[in-house]
Amino acid sequence: MGKGMSLIEFFLENKQIQLWDEHLSLKQRELLLGLSGSAKSLAIASSVKNQNKILVMTSTYGEAERLVNDLISILGTDMVYPFLVDDSPMVEFLVSSQEKIFSRIEALRFLRDKSQKGILVCNMAASRLFLPDPQVFDDSMLKLEIGQECEQNELKNQLNSLGYKKVTQVQSQGEFSLRGDILDIFETSQISPYRIEFFSDEIDGIREFDAETQLSKESRSEIFIYPASDILLSIEDYNRGQQFLEHEIDKTISPTLKSYLEEVFSCVKEQVLHTDIRKFLSVLYKKQWTLLDYLQQVPLIFDDFQKIMNQYDVFDKETASYFTEDLHNSKAVSSLQYFADVESQFKKYLPASFFSNFQKGLGNLKFDHLYQFNQYPMQEFFNQFSFLKEEIERYKKLKYTIVLQSSSDNELKNCQVF
C-alpha cells in the first residue's frame, strides 16, 4: 500500500475488483462470491470511482442501515442516500415517519439528477413501494423568484399537492403558513424556513428566517421547493380514484365498508391525502411505478440475492395477512394491491451485480462473469497487542498485505508504537 494511497485506491489494486469495475456499467450480470463485512462495503464504495450512480439492495432494513453506516464512514454523508421502508408492511402504513419520507425524497432526487454522484441503498421492501410517475416527480419542483407573478391561492394548492401541511406557524420541515401577504415555507432539504413577501400577486422579497425567534436571516433572489411527500397525485389520478371508489361504494353491501369508502372518496374528491391513501395507490396511479423505474440504467447491486428473495416471501406473507385483516375489518376491497410485485424485474434488470457467499440458491440466473474472493475474518484481541502481533506475523509469513484501521488518532499512535 503506497504512501498517501486511500483505502479505496488500495482496494482497487485487486485485479478482480478492477475487472468487475470495468464490466459494471455493461448490460451484463455479474456474480461476486466470498466478500462480506467491511471488505464488501469497500468493494461497493470503490464502484463509484468510475460510476456516477450505484443502487445497492439489501434484504432487510437493518442490513441496509449497517451498509449505509459503513459507506458513510468510507465516502462521507454527501455520497450515500438511504431509501428505506419498514420490513413490516403494517408498520410502514401506520407509523412511517416524516424523516424517513424526506430521506426517500432526497434519494429520488439524487437518482434523477444527472449531475450528482453517489450510492443509493435500499432494502427489499423499499423496492416494492408504489411511487409517482418519474416524469411527474421530475416536474414537481417549484421555482419561486423575486418579481414572479404568482396567485397566492394557486400557490397554496401547489404546496398542498406537493405534500406540505398548512399550519399556523411553521416549526418543522414540510410545513407552510399563509398570513395576509406573507407566505412561510419550511422546505424539506433546508435547515431554516423561507419567508416570501407578496405585493399583490408579485413576489416582492424572499428571506430565510429563524423558526424560533422569527428573526430574518439571509435574503434570496430565488428558491426551489421540492416535494414533501413521496405520494404525488395528479388531477387524472384523483379522477381515476373517484371512479374506482364510486364503483366500489355502489356495489358494496356492508354499511361499515361503505362508510369507510365514502370517507376515502370525500378526501379524494377534495384532493386531500387520506391517512390510508397509500393503500389505494395501485388504483390511483396509471401504472405501478417503483424505485426500479427511477434508475435510468444505473448499475444495481443485490447484496445477497438469496436473502433478498427469502425476505421477499416473508414480506408477501405478512402483506397478505395484513390485507386479509383489513378485508375482515371492512378497511379494504379485494381489487387493491398494497405493494408492487417486482420479482421478475429483479431477474431481468441489467446491469446487475450479485454479492453472495454461495452460488447455490441463485436459481436459473445466468452470469456473464464470476469473481471468487477468499476472505478470512480476524479474531478480536481486546487491546492484547502481543496476540495481535503474533497474528500479524503469521499473515506476513503467508505474504498477505495487512491493513490496520483505527477509530481514533490515539489508537493509531498506539498501533504505530507497537
Side-chain angles (χ1 to χ4, degrees):
M1 187 170 180
K3 188 176 181 180
M5 181 185 291
S6 72
L7 200 54
I8 289 180
E9 289 170 335
F10 169 68
F11 206 75
L12 281 169
E13 288 193 335
N14 182 283
K15 296 298 181 185
Q16 290 203 96
I17 293 293
Q18 288 177 17
L19 285 172
W20 172 59
D21 189 57
E22 289 171 9
H23 297 140
L24 194 54
S25 60
L26 302 179
K27 287 195 172 182
Q28 297 180 342
R29 190 176 290 118
E30 303 184 85
L31 176 61
L32 294 85
L33 297 172
L35 287 176
S36 62
S38 57
K40 181 167 59 179
S41 300
L42 273 168
I44 293 170
S46 70
S47 66
V48 291
K49 187 166 181 68
N50 297 317
Q51 301 296 327
N52 200 34
K53 289 179 172 62
I54 298 289
L55 185 142
V56 186
M57 185 185 301
T58 68
S59 57
T60 64
Y61 193 106
E63 291 286 343
E65 280 196 315
R66 281 190 285 274
L67 181 58
V68 165
N69 291 333
D70 281 353
L71 292 175
I72 286 175
S73 69
I74 300 168
L75 298 171
T77 56
D78 293 340
M79 291 190 67
V80 184
Y81 298 84
F83 186 98
L84 304 178
V85 165
D86 201 280
D87 293 328
S88 166
M90 182 174 66
V91 172
E92 181 58 36
F93 279 152
L94 297 179
V95 293
S96 186
S97 68
Q98 279 293 97
E99 182 182 359
K100 192 192 302 179
I101 292 172
F102 292 162
S103 177
R104 294 202 292 246
I105 294 165
E106 185 181 13
L108 292 179
R109 285 172 50 194
F110 155 72
L111 278 182
R112 304 300 290 179
D113 187 345
K114 294 180 180 179
S115 67
Q116 286 190 276
K117 186 180 181 75
I119 298 176
L120 185 149
V121 179
C122 74
N123 58 323
M124 182 284 303
S127 71
R128 304 187 62 176
L129 196 70
F130 289 121
L131 294 174
D133 179 343
Q135 190 58 54
V136 170
F137 183 83
D138 291 345
D139 297 338
S140 64
M141 185 269 293
L142 186 61
K143 180 181 178 181
L144 301 175
E145 57 187 337
I146 292 178
Q148 178 180 339
E149 292 284 338
C150 190
E151 203 274 316
Q152 292 183 42
N153 196 53
E154 181 182 339
L155 180 55
K156 182 186 75 172
N157 292 335
Q158 285 180 294
L159 291 173
N160 282 325
S161 69
L162 292 178
Y164 285 83
K165 297 178 181 178
K166 191 173 187 299
V167 295
T168 304
Q169 182 175 316
V170 297
Q171 295 290 336
S172 305
Q173 293 170 322
E175 297 178 342
F176 79 96
S177 68
L178 183 60
R179 306 182 311 280
D181 291 330
I182 296 176
L183 172 68
D184 292 343
I185 308 173
F186 208 144
E187 207 276 325
T188 57
S189 62
Q190 300 299 309
I191 58 173
S192 296
Y194 297 121
R195 175 157 291 159
I196 302 170
E197 298 175 343
F198 286 87
F199 182 76
S200 185
D201 285 337
E202 181 180 316
I203 295 178
D204 192 44
I206 303 173
R207 292 173 294 166
E208 289 184 32
F209 71 96
D210 188 296
E212 291 187 9
T213 66
Q214 296 291 301
L215 294 177
S216 296
K217 297 163 75 174
E218 182 179 351
S219 295
R220 297 289 193 96
S221 59
E222 64 179 24
I223 57 173
F224 297 93
I225 307 298
Y226 295 96
S229 172
D230 55 2
I231 299 174
L232 300 175
L233 299 172
S234 65
I235 294 174
E236 290 76 15
D237 294 329
Y238 280 115
N239 290 338
R240 192 178 299 109
Q242 285 187 61
Q243 292 175 10
F244 170 81
L245 288 164
E246 283 175 339
H247 175 72
E248 293 295 332
I249 290 168
D250 288 342
K251 74 176 188 179
T252 191
I253 300 173
S254 166
T256 306
L257 179 58
K258 185 183 286 286
S259 175
Y260 173 70
L261 293 176
E262 286 174 344
E263 177 189 315
V264 178
F265 175 82
S266 176
C267 289
V268 170
K269 187 176 181 180
E270 296 297 322
Q271 299 186 10
V272 175
L273 296 183
H274 187 273
T275 53
D276 285 347
I277 197 66
R278 199 176 289 280
K279 297 179 181 180
F280 291 84
L281 292 182
S282 63
V283 295
L284 288 167
Y285 287 141
K286 185 178 180 180
K287 180 186 170 185
Q288 294 187 0
W289 289 283
T290 67
L291 185 61
L292 297 180
D293 295 296
Y294 281 69
L295 293 190
Q296 306 179 98
Q297 298 304 307
V298 168
L300 172 56
I301 297 174
F302 294 99
D303 185 5
D304 205 320
F305 191 71
Q306 297 101 318
K307 289 172 66 176
I308 288 173
M309 295 316 301
N310 288 341
Q311 183 64 24
Y312 197 101
D313 292 339
V314 171
F315 191 82
D316 268 348
K317 290 175 183 176
E318 290 189 11
T319 302
S321 175
Y322 182 44
F323 185 51
T324 302
E325 185 180 340
D326 276 352
L327 288 171
H328 179 73
N329 294 329
S330 298
K331 292 289 186 179
V333 293
S334 59
S335 51
L336 294 178
Q337 182 180 344
Y338 282 1
F339 291 92
D341 184 1
V342 291
E343 181 178 352
S344 62
Q345 290 176 266
F346 288 174
K347 296 176 180 178
K348 292 177 183 177
Y349 189 89
L350 296 174
S353 294
F354 294 69
F355 281 81
S356 180
N357 289 322
F358 309 100
Q359 191 167 359
K360 186 179 178 181
L362 292 171
N364 297 322
L365 291 173
K366 304 297 183 184
F367 295 95
D368 297 284
H369 300 95
L370 187 150
Y371 309 91
Q372 178 72 58
F373 298 88
N374 295 316
Q375 179 183 339
Y376 305 100
M378 290 185 71
Q379 67 185 63
E380 294 187 32
F381 296 95
F382 304 103
N383 290 324
Q384 297 182 64
F385 286 102
S386 59
F387 294 118
L388 173 60
K389 184 176 180 180
E390 288 177 10
E391 189 77 350
I392 289 173
E393 291 300 330
R394 184 169 71 86
Y395 279 107
K396 284 172 68 177
K397 288 176 182 177
L398 294 171
K399 300 193 181 301
Y400 278 88
T401 299
I402 301 157
V403 178
L404 296 177
Q405 290 179 273
S406 64
S407 58
S408 67
D409 289 338
N410 285 335
E411 285 188 9
L412 183 60
K413 288 176 182 176
N414 288 336
C415 285
Q416 289 172 335
V417 170
F418 150 72

